[in-house]
Amino acid sequence: MEIINYTEKNTYHNSIGLKKFFVGIKRRRPLYKTYETTTFTLPRHFTVKNAFLTAKSYFQIGTRKLISLIPFMWIIPAAVASVYIPVKVVDTISYRESFATGISLVNEDINAANFLDNALELFAMSNDAFSDASGNVLDEEGNAVVPVVSYMQPVSFQNYTVRSNDTVGGICYKFGLSKIDTIIGVNNIGNVRDLRVGQKLRIPSRDGLIHSVTSGDTLEKLATKFSVSIADLLDVNDLSSSTLSIGQEIFIPGARLDSDTLERAMGEVFRYPITASWRLTSKFGSRIDPISGVRKNHTGIDMACPTGTAIKAAMTGTVAFTGYNNTYGYYVIINHHDNYQTLYAHMSKILTKKGDRVSQGDKIGLVGSTGYSTGPHLHFTVYKNGNLVDPQTLLK
C-alpha cells in the first residue's frame, strides 16, 4: 500500500480541496431552485470569480428572505393607518365643531327671550347731555357753546380731578370750552368712557390741540397745516422767536381731531367681541330656521369658534346682568353710553359679574354652546333704546 503524507504543501490535498469547491457549486444550483440552503465555505485560494459567486449566493439568500416577508408587508401600512385615521377623524370632528355651519337656536324659548329684551330696556343708560355726536359742547338747554376768546392771549393750563358722574362734555362746559376734542387731545384720552374718578386732567384756557415739534417743523408749515396764522401761533404760545426745537409743545388754537380719532375716543366704535379666528354662521334679520323650517327673525349675529375662545366687551360699559337662560345659556349683558346695550350668549364660562365696569376689549367670558345651541359659538346682539340693531352696521 502506498502512503501519501498529509501536509499543507501537499499538492494532492489542494487539488482535492478545489475539486470539492467546484463540486459544491454544482450541487447548489439545483438546490437553489427548491429554496434549500447550504453552508458556503470560501476556498483557501480566493479569487475574483469566487468573490462574485459568494456575493451572488448572499444576494439570492437575501432575496428569498424578502420574498418570504411579502405576505406580511400589509402589517406596516395597517399599523400606520390605525394611528393616522383616528387622529385625522378627531381633528376633522374638532374642526367641524369649532367652525360649524348653520348654527341656530332650537325650540326657542319665547318667554326667556322676552325676559332678556325687557331687561335690556330697563337698564338703558342716560346720555352725556353736555355734548353731541360731533364733539360739540352743549349748554344746559342743548345749544352749542360758542366761547368768545381772542387768540391774542397766551394759553394757560390748570389741573382738574375727575369727580363722580363727570363727563368730558360736562367738564368742557364747566371750563368754557366748546369742543370736547380739546380735553381729549391735550390729555391723550383713548376712550372717554374709561375716565375714572380721581383721574388728573390738564385743562387749557381755550379750544385747541397740542402739537409736539418734530424734525422739519416750522411755524410756517404748522400755520398752513392747521389753517391758523403765524401771528396767532406766536401770541398763543407766547413765543419771542419763530425758531422751534424738536420736542417743543406748540398749542394750535382751534385745531380739532380727525373724525376717526374723535369717534374712537368718544367710544362710538364697537369692536368685534372675538379677536381670534371665527366664522359668521348666521346674520342679523329674517331667516329660515334650518331645524324647524320656519322663518324667524334672528336677533343678532352668530360667531362660530372653538369652545373656550375669549369673549371681549365690544365697547366700554357696565355689566347689567349675568346668568343662565334656557335659550341663551350663560349670558352677559353690558350697558353702554347713548342707550346702547350688548348681549353675549351661549358662554361656557362667565368671567365678570353684575356691576363691573369693563373697558372695550376686556375679557368677559368664554365661548361655549350652552342653552339651545347646535355648536360652540357666540350669539352677539346689540340694542339701541331697547330696539334691535344690526351689529354689523356698528362693528369695526
Side-chain angles (χ1 to χ4, degrees):
M1 177 183 292
E2 182 180 2
I3 299 176
I4 302 174
N5 292 330
Y6 188 84
T7 64
E8 293 294 330
K9 295 181 180 181
N10 192 292
T11 57
Y12 180 80
H13 172 268
N14 291 337
S15 63
I16 292 300
L18 291 174
K19 182 177 180 180
K20 287 183 177 180
F21 169 72
F22 289 111
V23 170
I25 294 298
K26 291 179 180 179
R27 289 180 61 190
R28 289 191 187 92
R29 288 176 182 172
L31 291 176
Y32 291 158
K33 295 180 181 179
T34 59
Y35 297 98
E36 296 181 5
T37 61
T38 58
T39 303
F40 187 82
T41 304
L42 291 176
R44 191 171 301 278
H45 298 286
F46 191 74
T47 64
V48 174
K49 182 178 180 180
N50 294 341
F52 173 76
L53 293 174
T54 301
K56 180 179 179 181
S57 177
Y58 281 118
F59 176 76
Q60 290 174 335
I61 293 172
T63 302
R64 288 197 300 274
K65 289 183 177 180
L66 288 176
I67 293 174
S68 67
L69 292 175
I70 290 178
F72 304 97
M73 294 298 289
W74 62 270
I75 296 177
I76 297 177
V80 173
S82 66
V83 175
Y84 176 78
I85 292 177
V87 171
K88 192 65 177 177
V89 169
V90 171
D91 288 344
T92 302
I93 293 175
S94 178
Y95 178 84
R96 291 182 63 83
E97 180 191 58
S98 299
F99 297 93
T101 57
I103 289 176
S104 63
L105 298 179
V106 183
N107 299 325
E108 185 171 357
D109 188 335
I110 301 300
N111 292 329
N114 289 338
F115 164 77
L116 289 182
D117 290 346
N118 293 333
L120 289 166
E121 293 178 18
L122 291 173
F123 277 78
M125 295 177 65
S126 61
N127 188 19
D128 181 359
F130 287 96
S131 64
D132 60 20
S134 299
N136 297 310
V137 177
L138 307 177
D139 60 21
E140 295 177 347
E141 296 180 355
N143 301 315
V145 174
V146 183
V148 180
V149 179
S150 172
Y151 286 152
M152 299 300 292
Q153 299 175 1
V155 65
S156 60
F157 295 88
Q158 56 183 308
N159 295 323
Y160 178 77
T161 302
V162 178
R163 302 173 183 175
S164 178
N165 298 320
D166 267 346
T167 63
V168 173
I171 296 172
C172 287
Y173 179 72
K174 183 180 299 185
F175 287 94
L177 300 174
S178 64
K179 310 295 181 186
I180 66 173
D181 309 43
T182 299
I183 291 181
I184 292 174
V186 169
N187 294 277
N188 295 316
I189 298 174
N191 191 323
V192 297
R193 315 299 170 184
D194 291 333
L195 284 179
R196 296 289 186 269
V197 174
Q199 185 173 343
K200 303 293 184 180
L201 297 179
R202 188 183 181 195
I203 311 296
S205 58
R206 63 185 68 248
D207 289 304
L209 300 175
I210 292 177
H211 174 80
S212 182
V213 176
T214 58
S215 179
D217 280 345
T218 64
L219 283 181
E220 291 78 7
K221 290 182 179 180
L222 294 180
T224 301
K225 179 179 180 180
F226 293 102
S227 300
V228 296
S229 68
I230 296 178
D232 286 342
L233 290 177
L234 289 169
D235 292 340
V236 168
N237 291 279
D238 197 20
L239 298 176
S240 59
S241 171
S242 60
T243 302
L244 303 178
S245 58
I246 295 178
Q248 181 180 359
E249 287 189 344
I250 299 296
F251 189 84
I252 313 295
R256 300 200 62 178
L257 298 171
D258 63 86
S259 58
D260 288 341
T261 302
L262 179 60
E263 188 179 37
R264 287 194 297 270
M266 292 177 67
E268 300 293 340
V269 178
F270 281 85
R271 298 296 182 187
Y272 279 98
I274 294 179
T275 55
S277 179
W278 60 274
R279 174 181 292 182
L280 179 65
T281 56
S282 186
K283 296 183 178 180
F284 173 86
S286 180
R287 68 170 182 177
I288 298 295
D289 191 301
I291 303 298
S292 65
V294 178
R295 180 172 292 278
K296 293 182 178 180
N297 185 50
H298 192 230
T299 59
I301 61 173
D302 288 339
M303 306 169 69
C305 52
T307 298
T309 300
I311 300 172
K312 301 178 180 181
M315 183 183 284
T316 297
T318 302
V319 178
F321 275 109
T322 66
Y324 184 87
N325 179 275
N326 290 334
T327 297
Y328 296 118
Y330 289 108
Y331 69 90
V332 170
I333 299 176
I334 300 177
N335 291 332
H336 310 282
H337 71 284
D338 292 342
N339 299 336
Y340 278 110
Q341 302 87 34
T342 52
L343 164 69
Y344 312 78
H346 305 301
M347 292 181 173
S348 62
K349 186 176 183 179
I350 297 173
L351 301 178
T352 187
K353 62 182 184 299
K354 181 178 179 180
D356 281 353
R357 179 72 176 175
V358 294
S359 298
Q360 188 176 63
D362 283 354
K363 187 187 296 187
I364 60 173
L366 303 177
V367 170
S369 187
T370 56
Y372 289 110
S373 168
T374 60
H377 72 289
L378 169 67
H379 174 85
F380 179 65
T381 298
V382 178
Y383 286 79
K384 169 76 170 179
N385 293 319
N387 299 314
L388 288 169
V389 178
D390 183 354
Q392 289 189 287
T393 63
L394 303 173
L395 292 168
K396 293 185 179 180

